[in-house]
């Protein structure tokens, strides 16, 4: 095992079979060694800074029917909403005054959020909140659409690949959704010039250790600037309601591995990790993550953006949330910084 960890540390690369062995034969001791190495690498590049991203959940209306997701089209119990441009801007203005310098617009795939609409929004945010970065997470769109959004000033785009294995992808999605298209979207985003983020759920239904190893190999080869991973958590009104949640332990282990594959990657300690374990976000940082994404969405819509059961949502105001997170990070020896937090190309 230690030979594999050292090889990974030196070459940032393993074979799929080696990744499988790294996952399968893990122990608390190997997890400790990996986390120690991951934190060392992360500190060499990003010090003890934690970047914050203000998440604005712009709407939960979605044309897709992903089997795991609480806002899937077929969930008739989901109370739908969409924020208007002024509401979205208000979230950014408040975040800006609190020191946020990245805003993430995430939502379901909804044709209301047309290219013109989003481009206008990006331009307004950029002029009202100077020095800020805009990240989009609005799902699959055409290459032309991505290009327009980039030209309007969007800096980053998050689109989790969900799984790098086509037949696993087909077990998580309805037949009309395409693995090939998702991968093509990711390639287009990168080609256009976005800082691009991929990622996957840990412990999603039907996931095998081999699938996880394939995800790691995909990350190694795709070289994303960002990578979002978090445990799968069931949602009561989806076909996967009765499946078990993914583990925080394996998520943290994989965060360390991903940091060693890609030392500069922007790696969030996710809300899903904070949902399965009360101190999950701290453990994520201590495993090598360097980003947290507090919610700036208006309080009245937060419970409606319910991707999975018991999604962590304090109900507190943005300022109080940020203070709490600051304290949590300070307690483990890190500090939240007011910075765009771009990818460092080292
Ligand atoms: N529609 C956009 C997209 O497809 O990229 C962005 C929104 S989507 C809800 C954001 C992410 O939430 C997905 O990429 C998925 O990995 C995650 N997610 C959805 N349901 C989840 C669940 N039950 N447990 C954990 N994560 C989940």
């Amino acid at each position: 095992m230690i030979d594999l960890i050292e090889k990974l540390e030196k070459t940032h690369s393993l074979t799929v079979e080696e990744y499988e062995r790294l996952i399968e034969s893990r122990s608390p001791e190997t997890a400790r060694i990996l986390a120690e190495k991951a934190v060392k690498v992360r500190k060499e590049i990003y010090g003890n800074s934690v970047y914050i991203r203000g998440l604005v959940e712009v709407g939960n209306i979605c044309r897709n029917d992903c089997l795991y997701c609480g806002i899937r089209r077929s969930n008739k119990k989901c109370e739908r909403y969409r924020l208007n441009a002024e509401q979205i801007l208000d979230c950014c203005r408040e975040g800006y005054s609190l020191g946020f310098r990245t805003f993430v617009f995430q939502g379901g795939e909804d044709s209301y959020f047309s290219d013109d609409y989003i481009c206008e929004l990006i331009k307004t945010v950029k002029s009202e909140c100077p020095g800020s970065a805009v990240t989009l997470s609005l799902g699959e769109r055409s290459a032309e659409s991505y290009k327009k959004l980039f030209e309007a000033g969007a800096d980053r785009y998050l689109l989790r690949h969900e799984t790098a294995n086509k037949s696993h992808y087909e077990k998580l999605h309805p037949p009309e959704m395409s693995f090939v298209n998702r991968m093509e979207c990711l390639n287009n985003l990168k080609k256009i010039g976005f800082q691009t983020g991929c990622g996957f759920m840990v412990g999603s239904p039907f996931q095998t250790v081999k699938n996880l190893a394939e995800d790691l190999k995909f990350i190694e080869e795709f070289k994303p600037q960002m990578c979002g991973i978090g445990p799968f958590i069931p949602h009561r009104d989806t076909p996967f309601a009765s499946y078990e949640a993914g583990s925080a332990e394996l998520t943290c282990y994989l965060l360390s591995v991903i940091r060693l594959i890609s030392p500069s990657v922007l790696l969030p300690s996710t809300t899903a990790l904070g949902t399965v374990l009360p101190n999950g976000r701290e453990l994520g940082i201590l495993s090598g993550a360097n980003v947290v994404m507090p919610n700036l969405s208006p309080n009245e819509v937060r419970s409606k953006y319910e991707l999975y059961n018991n999604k962590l949502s304090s109900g507190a105001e943005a300022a109080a949330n940020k203070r709490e997170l600051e304290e949590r990070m300070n307690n483990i020896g890190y500090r939240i910084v007011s910075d765009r937090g771009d990818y460092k190309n080292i």
Side-chain angles (χ1 to χ4, degrees), residues 62 64 66 68-71 106-109 137-140 158-160 162 182 199-201 230-235 272 305 307-308:
C62 192
N64 286 335
C66 307
Y68 44 84
C69 186
I71 65 168
Q106 188 181 87
E109 288 193 22
S137 178
L138 298 169
E140 297 174 29
L158 294 172
L159 184 76
R160 289 184 173 183
E162 311 297 357
R182 193 123 187 132
F200 60 92
M201 293 176 288
F232 158 76
I233 305 174
H235 184 288
Y305 197 81
L307 308 180
Y308 44 79

Side-chain angles (χ1 to χ4, degrees), residues 67-329:
L67 276 75
Y68 44 84
C69 186
I71 65 168
R72 68 198 297 265
R73 179 184 73 221
S74 298
N75 182 6
K76 301 287 177 260
K77 292 193 184 152
C78 172
E79 212 186 306
R80 305 287 168 174
Y81 76 92
R82 185 189 268 151
L83 298 182
N84 63 37
E86 204 46 40
Q87 286 173 302
I88 299 172
L89 287 169
D90 274 344
C91 298
C92 299
R93 290 176 187 125
E94 188 183 6
Y96 193 73
S97 73
L98 292 169
F100 285 85
R101 292 296 177 269
T102 287
F103 302 104
V104 182
F105 301 145
Q106 188 181 87
E109 288 193 22
D110 175 1
S111 51
Y112 174 84
F113 294 116
S114 64
D115 295 343
D116 287 348
Y117 183 100
I118 302 292
C119 287
E120 201 46 47
L121 187 64
I122 296 164
K123 288 180 195 156
T124 316
V125 174
K126 291 267 172 160
S127 82
E128 284 203 28
C129 305
S132 297
V134 170
T135 303
L136 301 174
S137 178
L138 298 169
E140 297 174 29
R141 303 171 79 100
S142 67
E144 297 72 51
S145 165
Y146 288 148
K147 196 151 186 280
K148 282 187 194 161
L149 302 175
F150 184 71
E151 282 164 2
D155 302 272
R156 312 188 188 117
Y157 204 104
L158 294 172
L159 184 76
R160 289 184 173 183
H161 64 285
E162 311 297 357
T163 168
N165 180 290
K166 184 167 180 289
S167 68
H168 183 218
Y169 184 92
E170 287 164 1
K171 291 181 184 150
L172 300 178
H173 298 94
E176 68 272 16
M177 288 183 73
S178 147
F179 173 76
V180 172
N181 191 57
R182 193 123 187 132
M183 289 298 180
E184 197 176 307
C185 284
L186 278 167
N187 286 321
N188 288 338
L189 288 164
K190 201 133 183 263
K191 236 186 288 162
I192 289 165
F194 280 102
Q195 291 177 47
T196 304
C198 64
F200 60 92
M201 293 176 288
V202 177
S204 61
F206 315 110
Q207 184 179 65
T208 61
V209 170
K210 172 126 192 278
N211 294 153
L212 285 172
E214 290 164 333
D215 285 322
L216 295 174
K217 194 69 191 171
F218 170 71
I219 290 164
E220 182 195 307
E221 290 173 349
F222 182 63
K223 303 190 189 320
Q225 285 83 16
M226 307 175 284
C227 184
I229 71 160
F232 158 76
I233 305 174
H235 184 288
R236 75 192 87 76
D237 302 315
T238 64
F240 291 160
S242 61
Y243 284 81
E244 249 181 63
S247 90
E249 172 271 321
L250 181 53
T251 304
C252 288
Y253 190 80
L254 294 171
L255 284 171
S256 300
V257 175
I258 293 169
R259 171 64 64 204
L260 293 180
I261 292 174
S262 178
S264 300
V265 75
L266 296 164
L267 194 58
S269 187
T270 55
T271 306
L273 184 54
T275 300
V276 292
L277 253 196
N279 63 343
R281 277 174 308 174
E282 287 94 319
L283 291 182
I285 298 292
L286 294 168
S287 303
N290 66 330
V291 172
V292 284
M293 298 171 69
N295 202 332
L296 292 181
S297 308
N299 258 327
E300 63 274 17
V301 303
R302 282 192 203 171
S303 60
K304 296 182 187 157
Y305 197 81
E306 196 189 25
L307 308 180
Y308 44 79
N309 291 342
N310 307 316
K311 182 168 161 250
L312 189 66
S313 167
S314 72
E317 295 306 317
N321 269 338
K322 189 189 165 222
R323 261 198 313 276
E324 191 207 321
L325 206 52
E326 248 157 10
E327 247 170 62
R328 283 172 177 262
M329 294 299 128

